[in-house]
């Protein structure tokens, strides 16, 4: 027995020794392979060409697609070109624009829409369409219908752009579920039916569905009735499909199914029931809503001419949605907007403040750029590749090894609840490219311009580790054509061609001036009775919460309920614009990657409006991309000249006249347009003063005397001192122009108290700052008194823009400057100090005074409508927020303590 036990013990020890030796051998072999791989350039920065295997992904349905209209490249989306049309379709031109415009001008009658659809449950069977023959048969059937309902289900987690996974179509007799995955390449068979203006297509909330159908199948919807738009017009308390199903059909739905994986085949019974319900009841609901809209026509007025056709308005709004065009969300600088958003949301994370802001921003941007490219290469969503919170955590901790990278990502995802079975953490993409990620984190000197070239060369192409597909092939081919200019600008020392210079200037302009974060936050404010008052930004919500004037009722998206009764309601003032959510896109073309604020009514006029007429800022401040902004600005400048000729008020100041030590400045901008021969132009005066300051001692005496005579003419003929020359440099400049000029030229004055237009002004910077503080305090007084501003419900920076403040010149103590506008009346009010003697200051003030004196406040409203019409004709905007209207009245009822109350402004 003892010998047997010894034998067993020896065998166990031998087995353990053999196992240990084998493990050591495997470890040595692994280390040898790793060193060999690094020598061959597989590691980050290497130049080797040996192909290594990428991770073996699960078979994704989109890999079987043979025809993809929207790939993952940075090239713009190409829309359909209709046969028989003379002009090709551009990026901003809808292929069925003519047909949709005809519906907007002449909406279909309600009799052509209603089919007396009766309520029916889903006890009847449905048809599953997954063959081309079945799809052709369905198309023939739909072509004989007068109306049918449509809905789609999307998948976006395992695809960069997402794709339509299921389409539901319901007629009065039958439901159809179309397998758009199996029929992806032939879905264009349905295109003629959807483009037929004689057939009405019923959707609910079709803003996204319309774009998705264009993106995947080149299907464009013509003639649509949107039940969500009907809810808006009928002022329903809610406009969700779940609310309509429960109200009109008594059907409850579980909207969590919307987030299910609609790629799976076969679909579960619960998913089929949910998909059918989204389209099956739409025809009955649309009939109910259409009847309510028709009744509103009869209830509006006894006079037929005064009746507002609510059904026509619902049809018009729905077909305006059809005018939208899909645009790929391509940034001029990949990952820049995501990096800005992550930095603003996670900058207060523990340990983040210890980093230098510049370095942390740069690191987050590199990680976002890496994630963007990897998502395009593997056709995965950004959140699947790497979550936002994981990027922030990586930027804070800067792990050094792959194991540390994995741990940081897993911890960040778990702490934020983003890890679930369908989304592994870390993702397979991170596991495959973890070495590149480590190098990106450790090498702070890595130029992001070179990262893309390195990654694409290493991961795509014949020698790359990642397989080429219909989604990423155009990415690498396009990049090879545009390597030098796609992701970066030319650096100093390299000469740019005119074409590249123009493109580089445009990209630099976008990077510098475009909005760095979303403008509209779409937070909601409710009244005490639960009615929606407006959408606003987060800061406004926080203001009410911090003062215990409201309570939080929803977290995502944020919503509060006021604890007091506001002064006004949107329905009281007929301003629907402020009770609709808004998208952060260009209102002209739908560009999403960048946008700039644009003031439809130029500030040179609006700054002189009475306060109570310019309180509706956000309605006339919209978002435009660079191209649309340029077109709108050109149209505005052209129309300013037209106004100058119409009113006989010159656009620019022609002459300025000084009179020695007397603090008087006369602006010669007479109504008849005749210029005063005396005096000098502002530009002439400043040019002469600059030349004398810079080169007066070295220039010929004759030229020096000639320039000095110009300056003396402004100072009334007296002798001019060097301080006078410095003062003359700023004559005619606005405060902003002065600061910019001083910063650019590096000028320094011996006596800062004399930086004014005329001598005798002794306003110091401290006094100006004090005045500004008092002005800001008075502006906030309205909120302190509990007055709720419903109509100024703009969001983001639109509602807090200082367009009417930043142009005000701080009051200057002792400066009794008089501005004479050609009518002989000297005006010495504080508002006059806002004016610039150059630009459009005097012109704008004269135009507004002319309108008020001759037409009153109604003239100002009509003037605003003219500018909105100019904007619409120049841009033809397709993405204006709901409720935006050329004839927006801006009517307001102000509280007793409101700073906008006209009574407070009365003398």
């Amino acid at each position: 027995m003892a010998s047997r036990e010894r034998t067993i013990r020896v065998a166990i020890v031998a087995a353990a020794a053999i196992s240990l030796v084998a493990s050591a051998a495997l470890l040595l072999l692994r280390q040898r392979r790793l060193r060999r791989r690094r020598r061959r350039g597989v590691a980050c920065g290497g130049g080797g060409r040996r192909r290594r295997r990428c991770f073996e992904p699960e078979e994704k349905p989109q890999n079987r697609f043979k025809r993809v209209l929207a790939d993952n490249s940075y090239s713009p989306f190409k829309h359909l070109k209709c046969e028989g049309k003379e002009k090709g379709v551009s990026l901003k031109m809808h292929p069925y624009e003519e047909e949709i415009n005809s519906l907007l001008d002449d909406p279909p009658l309600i009799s052509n829409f209603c089919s007396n659809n009766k309520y029916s449950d889903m006890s009847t069977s449905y048809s599953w369409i997954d063959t081309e023959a079945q799809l052709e048969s369905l198309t023939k059937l739909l072509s004989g219908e007068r109306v049918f309902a449509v809905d789609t289900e999307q998948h976006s987690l395992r695809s960069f752009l997402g794709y339509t996974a299921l389409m539901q179509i319901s007629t009065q007799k039958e439901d159809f579920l179309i397998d758009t995955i199996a029929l992806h390449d032939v879905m264009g068979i349905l295109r003629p039916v959807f483009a037929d203006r004689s057939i009405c297509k019923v959707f609910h909330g079709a803003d996204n569905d319309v774009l998705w159908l264009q993106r995947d199948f080149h299907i464009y919807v013509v003639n649509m009735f949107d039940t969500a738009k009907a809810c808006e017009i009928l002022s329903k308390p809610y406009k969700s499909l779940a609310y309509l199903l429960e109200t009109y059909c008594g059907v409850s739905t579980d909207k969590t199914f919307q987030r299910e994986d609609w790629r799976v085949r076969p679909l579960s019974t619960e998913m089929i029931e949910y998909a059918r319900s989204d389209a099956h009841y739409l025809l009955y609901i649309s009939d109910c809503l259409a009847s309510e809209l028709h009744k509103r026509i009869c209830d509006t007025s006894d006079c037929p001419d005064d009746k507002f056709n609510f059904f026509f308005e619902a049809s018009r709004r729905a077909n305006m949605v059809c005018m939208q065009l899909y645009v790929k969300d391509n940034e001029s600088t990949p990952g820049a907007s995501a990096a800005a958003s992550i930095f603003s949301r996670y900058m207060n994370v523990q340990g983040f403040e210890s980093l230098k802001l510049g370095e942390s921003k740069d690191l987050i941007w590199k990680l976002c750029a890496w994630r963007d490219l990897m998502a395009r290469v593997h056709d995965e969503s950004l959140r699947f590749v790497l979550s936002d919170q994981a990027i922030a955590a990586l930027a804070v901790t800067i792990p050094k090894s792959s194991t540390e990278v994995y741990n940081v990502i897993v911890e960040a995802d778990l702490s934020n609840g983003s890890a679930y079975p369908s989304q592994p953490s870390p993702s397979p993409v991170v596991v495959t490219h973890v070495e590149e990620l480590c190098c990106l984190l450790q090498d702070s000197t890595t130029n992001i311009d070179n990262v893309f070239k390195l990654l694409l060369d290493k991961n795509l192409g014949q020698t790359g580790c990642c397989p080429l597909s219909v989604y990423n092939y155009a990415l690498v081919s396009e990049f090879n054509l545009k390597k030098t200019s796609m992701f970066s600008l030319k650096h100093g020392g390299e000469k740019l061609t005119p074409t590249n210079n123009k493109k580089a200037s445009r990209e630099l302009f976008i990077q510098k001036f475009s909005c760095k974060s979303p403008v509209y936050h779409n937070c909601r404010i409710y009244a005490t009775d639960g009615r929606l008052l407006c959408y606003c930004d987060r800061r406004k919500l926080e203001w009410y919460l911090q003062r215990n004037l409201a309570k939080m009722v929803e977290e995502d998206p944020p919503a509060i309920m006021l604890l007091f009764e506001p002064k006004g309601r949107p329905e009281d003032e007929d301003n629907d614009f402020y009770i609709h959510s808004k998208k952060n896109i260009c209102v002209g073309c739908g560009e999403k990657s960048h946008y700039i604020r644009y003031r439809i009514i130029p500030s040179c006029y609006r700054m002189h409006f009475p306060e109570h007429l310019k309180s509706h800022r956000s309605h006339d401040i919209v978002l435009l991309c660079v191209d649309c902004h340029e077109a709108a600005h050109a149209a505005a400048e052209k129309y300013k000249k037209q106004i100058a000729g119409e009113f006989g008020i010159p656009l620019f100041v022609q002459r300025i006249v000084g009179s020695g030590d007397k603090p008087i400045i006369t602006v010669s901008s007479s109504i008849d347009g005749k210029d005063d021969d005396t005096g000098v132009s502002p530009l002439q005066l400043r040019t002469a003063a600059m030349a004398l300051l810079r080169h007066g001692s070295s220039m010929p005496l004759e030229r020096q005397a000639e320039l000095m005579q110009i300056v003396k003419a402004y100072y009334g003929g007296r002798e001019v001192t060097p301080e006078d020359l410095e003062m003359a440099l700023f004559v005619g400049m606005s405060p902003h122009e002065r600061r910019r000029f001083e910063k650019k030229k590096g000028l320094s004055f011996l006596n800062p108290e004399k930086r004014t237009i005329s001598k005798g002004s002794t306003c110091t910077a401290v006094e100006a700052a004090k005045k500004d503080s008092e002005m800001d305090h008075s502006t906030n007084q309205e909120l302190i008194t509990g007055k709720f501003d419903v109509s100024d419900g703009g969001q983001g920076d639109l509602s807090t823009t200082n367009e009417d403040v930043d142009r005000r010149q701080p009051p200057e103590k002792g400066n009794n400057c008089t501005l004479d506008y050609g009518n002989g009346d000297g005006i010495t009010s504080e508002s006059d100090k806002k004016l610039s003697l150059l630009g459009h200051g005097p012109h704008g003030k004269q135009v507004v005074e002319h309108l008020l004196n001759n037409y009153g406040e109604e003239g100002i409203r009509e003037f605003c409508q003219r500018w909105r019409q100019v904007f619409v004709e120049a841009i033809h905007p397709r993405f204006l927020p709901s409720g935006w209207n050329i004839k927006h009245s801006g009517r307001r009822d102000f509280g007793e303590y409101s700073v906008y109350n006209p009574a407070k402004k009365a003398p």
Side-chain angles (χ1 to χ4, degrees), residues 161-189:
L161 295 176
Y163 58 88
T164 304
L166 186 72
M167 179 186 287
Q168 306 96 283
I169 293 181
S170 293
T171 64
Q172 192 173 4
K173 299 179 180 179
E174 192 173 2
D175 298 334
F176 302 90
L177 299 183
I178 304 175
D179 187 352
T180 54
I181 294 178
L183 298 173
H184 180 276
D185 298 329
V186 296
M187 282 296 293
I189 295 175

Side-chain angles (χ1 to χ4, degrees), residues 678-820:
T678 61
V680 295
S681 69
L683 181 60
Q684 187 181 16
L685 173 64
R686 294 203 303 270
T687 301
M690 178 62 75
L692 289 171
L693 284 172
R694 284 185 172 181
H695 312 290
S697 59
S698 59
M699 66 174 55
L701 295 179
E702 182 179 353
R703 178 57 177 167
Q704 183 180 4
E706 181 181 349
L707 296 176
M708 187 62 70
Q709 193 64 32
I710 295 175
V711 180
K712 286 184 178 180
Y714 168 70
Y715 285 106
R718 66 174 176 82
E719 292 298 322
V720 177
T721 64
E723 287 79 7
D724 292 332
L725 291 177
E726 288 188 345
M727 298 273 292
L729 293 178
F730 291 91
V731 170
M733 286 187 179
S734 67
H736 174 69
E737 290 171 329
R738 296 185 194 183
R739 290 191 296 269
R740 185 174 61 180
F741 180 79
E742 182 178 356
K743 182 179 180 180
K744 179 179 179 181
K745 300 300 181 181
L747 298 176
S748 176
F749 293 98
L750 297 176
N751 187 2
E753 297 181 355
K754 294 184 179 181
R755 295 185 197 176
T756 57
I757 294 178
S758 63
K759 298 182 69 176
S761 171
T762 59
C763 177
T764 65
V766 175
E767 291 169 341
K770 183 178 180 182
K771 291 291 185 180
D772 286 339
S773 177
E774 294 173 355
M775 180 173 61
D776 293 339
H777 176 74
S778 64
T779 303
N780 291 328
Q781 191 64 35
E782 178 181 4
L783 291 176
I784 296 174
T785 58
K787 165 70 174 67
F788 176 69
D789 187 359
V790 173
S791 61
D792 193 13
Q795 304 175 30
D797 293 334
L798 295 189
S799 62
T800 57
T801 180
N802 291 328
E803 67 162 325
D804 304 313
V805 177
D806 58 13
R807 296 178 182 272
R808 299 178 183 176
Q809 182 177 343
E812 298 175 341
K813 183 177 179 181
N815 185 2
N816 297 322
C817 175
T818 300
L819 299 178
D820 184 0

Side-chain angles (χ1 to χ4, degrees), residues 181-354:
I181 294 178
L183 298 173
H184 180 276
D185 298 329
V186 296
M187 282 296 293
I189 295 175
L190 286 173
R191 188 178 304 129
V193 175
F194 278 84
D196 190 342
R197 60 160 293 170
S198 65
I199 304 175
C200 181
K201 278 67 68 173
V202 179
F203 285 80
H204 179 85
D207 299 72
N208 289 326
D209 295 274
V210 166
L211 301 179
W212 290 333
L213 292 175
Q214 296 175 12
R215 174 197 65 192
D216 295 335
F217 316 121
H218 269 171
I219 289 178
Y220 298 82
V221 183
V222 179
N223 189 2
M224 179 176 68
F225 183 84
D226 192 333
T227 51
K229 299 299 180 185
C231 289
E232 291 178 1
I233 297 174
L234 293 170
S235 300
K236 296 287 184 181
Y238 305 98
K239 58 180 182 180
S240 65
L241 182 57
Y243 165 76
L244 294 177
L245 288 171
E246 187 173 353
T247 302
Y248 292 97
C249 307
V251 176
S252 299
T253 58
D254 185 1
K255 280 299 176 183
T256 58
F257 279 105
Q258 193 173 25
R259 296 189 294 271
E260 289 292 324
D261 188 350
W262 290 95
R263 303 175 301 166
V264 298
R265 297 293 185 269
L267 296 175
S268 65
T269 304
E270 295 79 9
M271 294 174 70
I272 290 176
E273 184 177 356
Y274 169 82
R276 288 184 63 192
S277 66
D278 276 1
H280 176 84
Y281 298 102
L282 267 186
L283 292 179
Y284 175 73
I285 293 173
S286 62
D287 271 10
C288 295
L289 294 174
S291 299
E292 293 182 33
L293 292 167
H294 183 64
K295 290 179 181 179
R296 286 287 187 96
I297 301 176
C298 303
D299 297 340
T300 304
S301 173
D302 295 332
C303 178
D305 295 335
D306 294 339
K307 291 179 180 178
F308 177 77
N309 197 316
F310 283 79
F311 179 78
F312 282 2
E313 177 62 16
S315 176
R316 186 191 68 81
R317 292 191 185 184
N319 283 294
M320 282 298 295
V321 174
C322 296
M323 287 291 288
Q324 296 182 101
L325 284 175
Y326 173 73
V327 179
K328 288 169 66 174
D329 192 8
N330 290 334
E331 298 179 287
S332 57
T333 306
S337 62
S341 176
I342 293 173
F343 186 80
S344 63
R345 285 184 289 134
Y346 296 99
M347 64 182 302
N348 294 324
V349 176
Q350 184 177 3
F352 204 84
E353 295 180 355
S354 62

Side-chain angles (χ1 to χ4, degrees), residues 580-598:
H580 296 292
S581 60
K582 300 168 181 64
K583 296 182 179 180
N584 292 289
I585 61 175
C586 169
V587 301
C589 64
E591 174 68 44
K592 300 176 182 178
S593 61
H594 73 274
Y595 37 79
I596 307 171
R597 297 174 183 85
Y598 176 77

Side-chain angles (χ1 to χ4, degrees), residues 62-236:
Q62 65 264 39
N63 293 339
R64 299 192 296 268
F65 298 164
K66 297 180 180 179
R67 185 169 180 263
V68 174
L69 301 175
D71 57 35
N72 298 338
S73 70
Y74 297 93
S75 59
F77 181 78
K78 295 181 180 179
H79 283 275
L80 176 71
K81 292 186 178 181
C82 294
E83 297 181 2
K85 293 195 175 182
E86 298 178 357
K87 297 181 179 179
V89 178
S90 67
L91 295 178
K92 296 184 180 181
M93 185 176 177
H94 198 290
Y96 295 95
E97 183 173 358
E98 183 179 348
E99 291 83 348
I100 298 176
N101 281 331
S102 66
L103 289 171
L104 295 175
D105 298 335
D106 185 19
L109 299 175
I110 191 172
S111 58
N112 297 334
F113 167 76
C114 293
S115 302
N116 296 322
N117 292 292
K118 297 180 180 180
Y119 172 79
S120 63
D121 56 25
M122 293 195 302
S123 59
T124 59
S125 62
Y126 69 94
S127 298
W128 179 263
I129 309 297
D130 60 356
T131 67
E132 186 173 351
Q134 290 176 321
L135 188 63
E136 291 176 348
S137 177
L138 174 62
T139 303
K140 185 179 297 185
L141 185 149
L142 294 176
S143 62
E145 296 288 331
R146 190 163 60 180
V147 57
F148 60 85
V150 188
D151 189 39
T152 65
E153 302 299 338
Q154 302 290 317
H155 178 79
S156 59
L157 179 62
R158 301 300 306 276
S159 173
F160 182 74
L161 295 176
Y163 58 88
T164 304
L166 186 72
M167 179 186 287
Q168 306 96 283
I169 293 181
S170 293
T171 64
Q172 192 173 4
K173 299 179 180 179
E174 192 173 2
D175 298 334
F176 302 90
L177 299 183
I178 304 175
D179 187 352
T180 54
I181 294 178
L183 298 173
H184 180 276
D185 298 329
V186 296
M187 282 296 293
I189 295 175
L190 286 173
R191 188 178 304 129
V193 175
F194 278 84
D196 190 342
R197 60 160 293 170
S198 65
I199 304 175
C200 181
K201 278 67 68 173
V202 179
F203 285 80
H204 179 85
D207 299 72
N208 289 326
D209 295 274
V210 166
L211 301 179
W212 290 333
L213 292 175
Q214 296 175 12
R215 174 197 65 192
D216 295 335
F217 316 121
H218 269 171
I219 289 178
Y220 298 82
V221 183
V222 179
N223 189 2
M224 179 176 68
F225 183 84
D226 192 333
T227 51
K229 299 299 180 185
C231 289
E232 291 178 1
I233 297 174
L234 293 170
S235 300
K236 296 287 184 181

Side-chain angles (χ1 to χ4, degrees), residues 603-898:
S603 297
C604 64
Y605 304 111
R606 196 176 183 281
M607 64 185 294
H608 303 294
F609 288 0
E611 293 289 345
H612 62 284
L613 293 184
K614 62 180 178 181
S615 59
H616 282 219
R617 285 191 289 253
S618 57
H619 180 271
D620 293 317
I621 304 178
V622 296
L623 301 180
L624 291 178
C625 66
V626 168
D627 299 324
C628 292
H629 194 287
E630 183 178 358
H633 178 72
E637 291 300 311
K638 182 178 179 180
Y639 196 66
K640 284 178 185 178
K641 296 179 181 179
Q642 182 177 331
I643 288 178
E646 178 182 346
F647 293 163
I649 300 175
L651 198 58
F652 295 95
V653 173
Q654 304 296 328
R655 298 276 175 176
I656 57 175
V657 179
S659 57
D661 294 331
K662 297 179 181 180
I664 297 176
I665 300 175
T666 302
V667 181
S668 299
S669 183
S670 57
I671 299 297
D672 58 7
K674 296 179 180 179
D675 300 334
D676 192 352
D677 291 337
T678 61
V680 295
S681 69
L683 181 60
Q684 187 181 16
L685 173 64
R686 294 203 303 270
T687 301
M690 178 62 75
L692 289 171
L693 284 172
R694 284 185 172 181
H695 312 290
S697 59
S698 59
M699 66 174 55
L701 295 179
E702 182 179 353
R703 178 57 177 167
Q704 183 180 4
E706 181 181 349
L707 296 176
M708 187 62 70
Q709 193 64 32
I710 295 175
V711 180
K712 286 184 178 180
Y714 168 70
Y715 285 106
R718 66 174 176 82
E719 292 298 322
V720 177
T721 64
E723 287 79 7
D724 292 332
L725 291 177
E726 288 188 345
M727 298 273 292
L729 293 178
F730 291 91
V731 170
M733 286 187 179
S734 67
H736 174 69
E737 290 171 329
R738 296 185 194 183
R739 290 191 296 269
R740 185 174 61 180
F741 180 79
E742 182 178 356
K743 182 179 180 180
K744 179 179 179 181
K745 300 300 181 181
L747 298 176
S748 176
F749 293 98
L750 297 176
N751 187 2
E753 297 181 355
K754 294 184 179 181
R755 295 185 197 176
T756 57
I757 294 178
S758 63
K759 298 182 69 176
S761 171
T762 59
C763 177
T764 65
V766 175
E767 291 169 341
K770 183 178 180 182
K771 291 291 185 180
D772 286 339
S773 177
E774 294 173 355
M775 180 173 61
D776 293 339
H777 176 74
S778 64
T779 303
N780 291 328
Q781 191 64 35
E782 178 181 4
L783 291 176
I784 296 174
T785 58
K787 165 70 174 67
F788 176 69
D789 187 359
V790 173
S791 61
D792 193 13
Q795 304 175 30
D797 293 334
L798 295 189
S799 62
T800 57
T801 180
N802 291 328
E803 67 162 325
D804 304 313
V805 177
D806 58 13
R807 296 178 182 272
R808 299 178 183 176
Q809 182 177 343
E812 298 175 341
K813 183 177 179 181
N815 185 2
N816 297 322
C817 175
T818 300
L819 299 178
D820 184 0
Y821 288 90
N823 56 9
D825 297 329
I827 306 172
T828 57
S829 64
E830 290 295 327
S831 62
D832 293 331
K833 297 185 178 65
K834 305 175 188 177
L835 300 180
S836 164
L837 295 183
L838 279 182
H840 305 142
H843 166 81
K845 181 177 175 64
Q846 289 178 0
V847 169
V848 173
E849 287 180 347
H850 175 76
L851 292 172
L852 289 174
N853 293 335
N854 292 276
Y855 308 103
E857 294 184 358
E858 188 62 29
I860 297 295
R861 293 190 180 93
E862 293 181 0
F863 186 69
C864 294
Q865 293 174 12
R866 291 172 62 180
W867 277 105
R868 294 176 192 137
Q869 185 65 40
V870 169
F871 171 76
V872 170
E873 292 177 354
I875 301 301
H876 300 291
R878 298 187 178 92
F879 301 90
L880 282 169
S882 299
W884 192 94
N885 195 341
I886 290 177
K887 296 185 178 181
H888 180 79
S889 65
R891 181 171 59 87
R892 283 288 307 277
D893 295 326
F894 296 96
E896 178 182 357
Y897 301 101
S898 173

